[in-house]
Amino acid sequence: MYAFTQHRPATVRQAASLLAKQEEAKLLAGGHTLIPTMKLRLAGPKHLVDLSKVEGLSGIEMKGRSLTIGAMTTHVEVQTSPVVRENIPALAELAGKIGDPAVRHRGTIGGSLANNDPNADYPAAALGLGATIITNKRRIPADEFFKGLFETALEPDEIVTKVQFPKVNKAAYVKFPNPASRYALVGVFVSKRSSEIRVVVTGAGANGVFRVTAFEEALKKRFGAKSLEGLTVPADGMASDIHGSAEYRAHLIGVLARRAVAAAG
Amino acid sequence: MPAVALTVNGKPVTGDVDPRTLLVQFLRENLRLTGTHVGCDTSQCGACVVHVDGKAVKACTVFVWQIDGANITTIEGLADPNGPLHPMQEAFREHHGLQCGYCTPGMIMTAVDMVNRKGHDLDDPTIAISAAAPATITS
């Protein structure tokens, strides 16, 4: 691992100023992607700005029809939160399927979204529920947040502080996990909020998380697994690696989407 | 060099560390608590699991300064060195719950965490799933 200097700011403002001031600075949340990446020398930040001492970045709150989760809230906190379980149970279930218990004790929602790993689970929930990512500067709709592999709309000194999820009528997430890492080989998140239907895929796209508009259109006529029968996603644009070919991933999208719609009820 | 102060197995410890020092390195190299093992070193296998403030954490994926002030329990702190084994250690011994034994400390710390979290909700299917995927206990 390359040498670095650690910083432990107490406020978002201090953290943002460190990010802006220091060359090659990176934020450290739960560290469960960044630390392994640094060990492999795939990342070599000169400065690590740790967010664990920053006040007000954790917590879960339901206000009206909107669920707000602080960026430093851990996966296990989302998984076990009675508020999340009552209002958006699919989100609690998704959080409980990330990695393993030790990973869920450290990993955070803000870290996962800002990293935008193409096989991560949270990007599917954020896009699949039409969430809003709140930063120290602005509010970014999930539709404009994810920009490709490990790329987001975040500016260099921008910090995710909260994520806001609207309550939906129906939602479910089904994933085919890599048996070792538990990352999604393919994961499909579906949701229905009045007339808005979203079908979102993680793990499969060569360019990260994406919506399947053809499936969404079919579900608008009738929200049921039958509406998706015979519909497929072309293998073009799918990721292909030792874990699964593009064709296999495309096939899984159809299977998992039907299961997710059935699970959402 | 960041200064750290932790409680490890009930005893206060301090150290000045290079910022790169991982919790598992601090335990093994500074404190000579070599019961915690490094397995994959890629945040997957779970051989290095210890308890940080009562929760299972992979000690290879935390800088020690990140958890300054925390209360750590390692495999050495599970039972009194002069007393009987912890019931989980005894259960692993009784049922030969190990293969080569290298990852056993992490498996035991993970299993204790599972009991702590699930209590009486810990059922046979959960245990069976974990036994089928021992490298990474997922529930």
Side-chain angles (χ1 to χ4, degrees):
Chain A
M1 194 185 301
Y2 294 112
F4 62 84
T5 305
Q6 86 291 354
H7 304 269
R8 308 197 81 187
T11 64
V12 173
R13 189 183 287 262
Q14 285 171 10
S17 123
L18 280 163
L19 268 187
K21 215 166 56 193
Q22 304 286 0
E23 246 178 87
E24 294 184 55
K26 258 199 175 296
L27 293 173
L28 179 66
H32 272 55
T33 298
L34 184 53
I35 296 174
T37 312
M38 287 170 67
K39 285 185 188 183
L40 293 169
R41 292 191 170 181
L42 294 172
K46 294 229 166 72
H47 296 270
L48 269 193
V49 181
D50 173 43
L51 293 174
S52 65
K53 294 276 185 204
V54 176
E55 290 281 313
L57 284 185
S58 307
I60 297 168
E61 192 188 21
M62 189 74 198
K63 251 194 192 161
R65 294 190 58 79
S66 164
L67 177 74
T68 304
I69 301 182
M72 286 292 282
T73 308
T74 60
H75 306 327
V76 74
E77 287 164 345
V78 175
Q79 176 191 359
T80 57
S81 157
V83 176
V84 181
R85 291 209 160 261
E86 187 191 326
N87 291 290
I88 312 181
L91 188 59
E93 279 190 31
L94 174 142
K97 286 176 183 162
I98 299 172
D100 57 57
V103 168
R104 296 196 288 272
H105 282 148
R106 298 286 305 168
T108 66
I109 186 169
S112 173
L113 292 173
N115 186 50
N116 192 19
D117 187 299
N119 294 91
D121 298 299
Y122 266 132
L127 191 57
L129 289 165
T132 303
I133 288 96
I134 301 170
T135 75
N136 55 330
K137 296 183 170 187
R138 57 192 167 138
R139 303 165 58 89
I140 311 173
D143 289 301
E144 294 162 25
F145 184 79
F146 303 105
K147 297 287 189 191
L149 300 184
F150 301 102
E151 293 289 333
T152 66
L154 291 170
E155 291 165 12
D157 59 341
E158 194 165 18
I159 301 172
V160 177
T161 56
K162 290 172 189 166
V163 189
Q164 219 166 50
F165 295 93
K167 196 169 169 172
V168 292
N169 309 101
K170 295 175 178 186
Y173 178 63
V174 177
K175 84 163 160 176
F176 190 99
N178 176 310
S181 71
R182 301 279 150 185
Y183 270 106
L185 186 69
V186 178
V188 178
F189 198 106
V190 299
S191 77
K192 182 178 190 301
R193 178 166 55 129
S194 56
S195 64
E196 187 177 336
I197 287 170
R198 284 172 180 255
V199 178
V200 168
V201 176
T202 188
N207 219 13
V209 67
F210 66 95
R211 292 175 71 169
V212 188
T213 43
F215 286 16
E216 293 173 356
E217 290 303 320
L219 290 169
K220 269 182 196 158
K221 291 176 194 115
R222 196 182 152 272
F223 192 86
K226 268 203 164 144
S227 306
L228 297 180
E229 267 175 26
L231 291 181
T232 53
V233 174
D236 223 26
M238 295 299 138
S240 188
D241 56 27
I242 56 163
H243 304 297
S245 64
E247 290 74 21
Y248 183 59
R249 281 185 160 91
H251 172 72
L252 274 183
I253 292 171
V255 175
L256 299 181
R258 289 193 293 275
R259 287 185 193 169
V261 171
Chain B
M1 297 239 287
V4 293
L6 303 168
T7 305
V8 178
N9 298 332
K11 290 184 199 128
V13 298
T14 57
D16 291 312
V17 296
D18 182 292
R20 288 172 284 187
T21 310
L22 300 161
L23 174 59
V24 72
Q25 287 173 307
F26 186 73
L27 293 171
R28 289 179 56 84
E29 293 166 25
N30 293 50
L31 305 182
R32 300 286 168 189
L33 290 171
T34 53
T36 304
H37 294 170
V38 179
C40 69
D41 203 17
T42 56
S43 323
Q44 298 186 59
C45 76
C48 66
V49 166
V50 299
H51 294 181
V52 176
D53 292 330
K55 290 177 186 162
V57 164
K58 292 176 186 180
C60 80
T61 314
V62 186
F63 295 118
V64 67
W65 54 263
Q66 278 182 285
I67 50 157
D68 186 28
N71 199 339
I72 316 291
T73 307
T74 70
I75 190 75
E76 290 94 340
L78 216 47
D80 185 324
N82 302 312
L85 292 172
H86 181 278
M88 190 61 77
Q89 291 172 307
E90 183 53 38
F92 268 63
R93 193 195 67 79
E94 170 77 16
H95 297 283
H96 198 66
L98 48 109
Q99 289 177 5
C100 77
Y102 188 83
C103 70
T104 306
M107 293 300 107
I108 289 176
M109 297 310 285
T110 301
V112 171
D113 175 72
M114 197 187 275
V115 172
N116 290 346
R117 280 184 293 111
K118 295 190 178 266
H120 291 294
D121 292 336
L122 188 58
D123 54 7
D124 284 344
T126 306
I127 295 168
I129 290 166
S130 304
T136 304
I137 294 178
T138 54
S139 289

